[in-house]
Amino acid sequence: MPSRRRTKVLIVDDSSIIREVVRCVLEEEDYEVIGLESPIGFTRALVLEKPDLVLMDVSMPALTGDKLVEITARSGLHHCPIVLFSDRPDLELARLAEECGASGYIRKTQETSLLGLKLRRFLPSRTATPIPA
């Protein structure tokens, strides 16, 4: 029986602590996690890795996450949900997500155990392709 491909998540966050916590939590739930510490190299990682979902920090130096989402949406390089990831207030994140074209947002909280569950809301369901008889 062929093994199922793990869901691949690309996290772009300038905090090494956040990247590592997210990696640990999601790998425990059988996600494959790729981390980037800055927007530099994001386009390359998006094309090469073809993630199923991008978790994008909003507050990064040089280029904010919401601006990077706007640029990515216009480029048409790889289409997957891009979710803003921040500790900013819900109303602000909802507004930013709508304005930049993100699929939504997830707040950085102490409830890291719920991260995988929150991500699943943004992932397309993977249904098995029927095998002809």
Side-chain angles (χ1 to χ4, degrees), residues 45-101:
L46 196 62
V47 170
L48 292 176
E49 297 292 344
K50 296 183 180 9
D52 298 297
L53 182 138
V54 174
L55 203 52
M56 179 73 69
D57 182 23
V58 173
S59 303
M60 292 184 288
L63 184 61
T64 61
D66 55 314
K67 294 299 177 200
L68 187 54
V69 172
E70 283 180 29
I71 293 165
T72 304
R74 286 193 303 255
S75 74
L77 292 174
H78 173 68
H79 298 286
C80 70
I82 301 179
V83 178
L84 299 180
F85 190 51
S86 176
D87 56 2
R88 293 185 183 187
D90 284 308
L91 286 174
E92 182 180 353
L93 287 172
R95 180 185 55 76
L96 278 174
E98 185 173 329
E99 288 175 358
C100 73

Side-chain angles (χ1 to χ4, degrees), residues 17-68:
I17 294 169
I18 295 292
R19 287 192 318 275
E20 191 55 33
V21 167
V22 167
R23 177 184 308 281
C24 289
V25 169
L26 293 182
E27 284 181 349
E28 189 70 28
E29 295 188 37
D30 202 33
Y31 287 89
E32 180 180 351
V33 180
I34 296 122
L36 281 179
E37 66 184 45
S38 78
I40 297 169
F42 174 68
T43 303
R44 186 178 193 313
L46 196 62
V47 170
L48 292 176
E49 297 292 344
K50 296 183 180 9
D52 298 297
L53 182 138
V54 174
L55 203 52
M56 179 73 69
D57 182 23
V58 173
S59 303
M60 292 184 288
L63 184 61
T64 61
D66 55 314
K67 294 299 177 200
L68 187 54

